[in-house]
Amino acid sequence: MSTPSSTATSAAGHANAGDTKPLEEKLASLLSSSNQFSVGGYLNQALEEAASSHDGDELQRRMAELALQLQLQTQSCHDDIGRIGAEIQAIMPRCAADVGRIGVGLEG
């Protein structure tokens, strides 16, 4: 699975006529674009190449593969959000204590 690190694709998630980027690069770019990403656009982009072969089994296999990749990416995002939330929860009491000390210092 590629890491999302390239520039964003078109808003519709479809390849431009002159676009020669490899499919995996296009998909990674689409995943990294928070304002252009949609599950439908991602799947359409990914299945566009497989659809040209008109092989139903290949389309089903690719769809299952893409669904798993999206699930793993989503789980990774949820894990990151949980980790960040835990860090914030750990910092909050220290911040409250610091604010209290600053308040005492300003009053003093």
Side-chain angles (χ1 to χ4, degrees):
M1 187 166 139
S2 300
T3 57
S5 62
S6 55
T7 60
T9 59
S10 67
H14 297 286
N16 295 332
D19 199 353
T20 59
K21 289 194 282 186
L23 180 61
E24 292 302 319
E25 186 177 331
K26 292 176 197 173
L27 294 177
S29 175
L30 190 58
L31 277 175
S32 68
S33 175
S34 62
N35 61 341
Q36 294 180 350
F37 179 79
S38 74
V39 173
Y42 179 87
L43 292 175
N44 285 337
Q45 177 75 41
L47 293 174
E48 190 173 279
E49 183 177 287
S52 63
S53 70
H54 302 293
D55 183 4
D57 291 338
E58 175 63 21
L59 285 174
Q60 284 185 331
R61 185 198 63 75
R62 185 71 174 139
M63 182 74 84
E65 179 183 320
L66 292 168
L68 180 59
Q69 287 177 358
L70 283 172
Q71 183 178 6
L72 293 173
Q73 185 73 22
T74 300
Q75 185 60 48
S76 173
C77 290
H78 285 282
D79 292 346
D80 288 345
I81 291 168
R83 180 185 49 78
I84 291 167
E87 290 175 6
I88 290 172
Q89 289 294 326
I91 291 170
M92 290 303 292
R94 291 186 298 223
C95 290
D98 290 345
V99 168
R101 284 193 291 275
I102 290 172
V104 168
L106 291 175
E107 291 173 358

